[in-house]
Amino acid sequence: MKTRTLLLVCILVILLCTQADAKIIYVDDDASGANNGSSWQNAYKYLQDALAEANSAKEPFEIRVAQGVYQPDLGVGYTTGDIWAYFELRNNITLSGGYAGILETDPDKRDYEKYKTILSADLDGNDVDVNDPNELRSEPTRRDNSYLIIKNQVESVIDGFTISGNHGIFIPHTGGNMFG
């Protein structure tokens, strides 16, 4: 019993230290600073830019995303309107939405219902509401949407987002995929 308790305490300490060492990257589409992700004022405007930084490093990252709509075809190296663009998360990334961001008094305030953070495949922002999900594939305003919204590794966390607007066609893929 004593050995088991000691083992659990050690595991808990390791997990807490790993979480404490995680670098935080900020994303806010209203940011006007250096756009390097170092703070809310200097947040990346595009989620793809934050993911590029996180995906190129070995340490764990937390990406905090402020309220707004984020599309996978925006960021350095991406072509606007690219229906094959998607957000890709590697292992050890925590993607957290629902932050107030720089337009609020406390940008770190988190309330995913009040501060809606949307990952949208609606690249042209022209989707119309459809009452019957079976009509999504034939809806003409969906033809210019991304096919896939998120591709993630097994050990990544996504929390506080609304995911919507994918084209609605299944694409076979290894790993975890998310459609909205």
Side-chain angles (χ1 to χ4, degrees), residues 83-137:
I83 61 174
W84 297 106
Y86 53 84
F87 298 112
E88 183 170 7
L89 283 72
R90 67 154 176 80
N91 287 334
N92 297 318
I93 293 179
T94 299
L95 189 61
S96 303
Y99 285 93
I102 63 168
L103 296 181
E104 298 291 328
T105 307
D106 180 6
D108 282 313
K109 184 168 178 152
R110 187 165 189 237
D111 182 338
Y112 64 88
E113 290 179 356
K114 182 176 181 181
Y115 305 116
K116 298 248 185 247
T117 309
I118 301 166
L119 303 182
S120 175
D122 181 9
L123 305 181
D124 285 345
N126 65 347
D127 284 4
V128 297
D129 290 332
V130 176
N131 293 328
D132 182 356
N134 294 321
E135 296 175 9
L136 287 175
R137 285 187 185 207

Side-chain angles (χ1 to χ4, degrees), residues 1 6-7 16 53-54 65 67 81 85 90 93 96 106 108 121 124 134 140 150-151 155 162 166 171-172:
M1 183 69 168
L6 181 60
L7 181 61
L16 290 174
E53 179 182 341
V65 186
Q67 62 184 316
R90 67 154 176 80
I93 293 179
S96 303
D106 180 6
D108 282 313
D124 285 345
N134 294 321
I150 297 174
K151 177 184 172 193
E155 295 178 24
T162 298
N166 75 297
I171 301 170

Side-chain angles (χ1 to χ4, degrees), residues 144-165:
D144 56 0
N145 292 11
S146 287
Y147 286 107
L148 179 67
I149 297 176
I150 297 174
K151 177 184 172 193
N152 70 308
Q153 299 293 329
V154 178
E155 295 178 24
S156 54
V157 176
I158 302 169
D159 180 47
F161 290 91
T162 298
I163 300 173
S164 69

